[in-house]
Amino acid sequence: MILLIYLGIIVALLLWGVGIYNGLVKLRNQVRTLWAQIEVQLKRRYDLIPNLVEVVKDYMGYEQETLSKVVEARGKAMSTQGIPEKAMAENQLSGALRSLFAVAESYPDLKANQNVSRLQEELANTENMIANMRSNYNQTVMDLNNRTETFPSNLIARWFAFQPEKFYTTPDEERAAPRADLR
């Protein structure tokens, strides 16, 4: 009878140890999965940023070219002497101004503007998903670390070489509140 009691205690301890071990494995796998999901969203963000930059650059390049043409045409028109040269310079300025007005009038309908809005929205959504995943990741890391560091589960964790995971933290330089320099 005493042998059965000892055997029952041993079986209970083994089942308890297996339960703790399985819980640690699940938490470790959750941490790894959450990190992989963060990496997927980071990759998505990395892919969106160049697209946004390209669309903005293309649009700004077009706008800058138009503005440059207006400024150059204005400078030429102001400095030109003689009627034929002045007329030609004024025509160039008029053409540059028409281009600028066309850009200004059609600005809301520009495809580039729609792309910028869409990409900005996608980027904002991606940032929100990353923030949520970081929070979930850190919560799961805390759960795993608590299990690996508290008694009695720390005994099983140490025996099977479970290590505490690192939190996803913000670098010190990014923690400071941004300053607005309005000079």
Side-chain angles (χ1 to χ4, degrees):
M1 186 64 162
I2 293 181
L3 185 60
L4 286 176
I5 292 173
Y6 285 133
L7 187 59
I9 290 172
I10 291 172
V11 168
L13 287 173
L14 282 174
L15 290 175
W16 170 80
V18 167
I20 289 176
Y21 175 80
N22 288 340
L24 289 167
V25 169
K26 286 177 186 178
L27 284 171
R28 182 179 61 196
N29 289 340
Q30 283 178 330
V31 167
R32 290 176 180 170
T33 299
L34 286 169
W35 182 251
Q37 289 173 349
I38 289 172
E39 286 183 327
V40 166
Q41 293 306 316
L42 290 174
K43 170 80 167 93
R44 182 172 189 256
R45 180 176 63 180
Y46 300 152
D47 291 345
L48 286 172
I49 291 170
N51 293 336
L52 180 63
V53 168
E54 228 12 73
V55 170
V56 169
K57 184 179 82 174
D58 288 348
Y59 175 73
M60 293 304 290
Y62 176 69
E63 186 176 45
Q64 288 295 332
E65 182 180 321
T66 301
L67 290 174
S68 295
K69 286 181 180 178
V70 169
V71 169
E72 288 174 18
R74 178 183 175 267
K76 188 174 181 180
M78 288 176 62
S79 65
T80 302
Q81 301 297 318
I83 295 175
E85 292 85 354
K86 187 88 166 163
M88 188 155 55
E90 290 296 327
N91 285 338
Q92 288 177 346
L93 178 57
S94 294
L97 286 171
R98 274 193 300 274
S99 294
L100 179 62
F101 294 148
V103 169
E105 288 175 7
S106 65
Y107 180 79
D109 297 329
L110 284 176
K111 184 176 170 102
N113 186 32
Q114 292 170 359
N115 285 340
V116 169
S117 296
R118 182 182 54 78
L119 287 168
Q120 285 175 326
E121 186 177 314
E122 282 186 42
L123 194 56
N125 289 338
T126 301
E127 291 295 334
N128 289 336
M129 286 191 294
I130 291 169
N132 287 333
M133 288 179 181
R134 285 177 181 167
S135 178
N136 291 340
Y137 173 84
N138 282 341
Q139 180 63 50
T140 305
V141 165
M142 184 185 72
D143 293 343
L144 176 63
N145 289 350
N146 285 343
R147 294 282 303 267
T148 60
E149 296 171 3
T150 58
F151 184 80
S153 57
N154 66 336
L155 300 174
I156 303 293
R158 217 175 289 140
W159 193 9
F160 289 101
F162 281 87
Q163 298 296 316
E165 294 286 337
K166 298 207 182 289
F167 289 99
Y168 194 115
T169 59
T170 305
D172 291 337
E173 59 271 7
E174 291 181 22
R175 288 183 192 172
R179 291 184 43 203
D181 188 4
L182 302 175
R183 287 186 262 168

